[in-house]
Amino acid sequence: MGQVRHGSATTTHAVRAAIQRSQATLATLSRELGINPKTVLSRNFAVIGSA
């Protein structure tokens, strides 16, 4: 069963989990995942901010 995303969604649960686990730099991670660096930054901030 695939994930259903709304029109503005930029990441899936798997991508968000990969961002949270990764120790790579912002630029490297965004390039590997094919997403905007600002998306990586906002996902990392959400994790850091919730701790």
Side-chain angles (χ1 to χ4, degrees):
M1 180 175 164
Q3 290 187 0
V4 177
R5 298 186 298 169
H6 60 81
S8 302
T10 56
T11 60
T12 63
H13 180 69
V15 171
R16 289 191 300 273
I19 291 170
Q20 293 171 2
R21 287 190 309 266
S22 178
Q23 296 297 315
T25 64
L26 183 101
T28 302
L29 197 54
S30 66
R31 191 171 43 251
E32 288 175 358
L33 297 173
I35 57 178
N36 190 312
K38 290 180 182 180
T39 302
V40 175
L41 184 61
S42 69
R43 291 289 141 206
N44 278 334
F45 183 73
V47 173
I48 294 168
S50 66

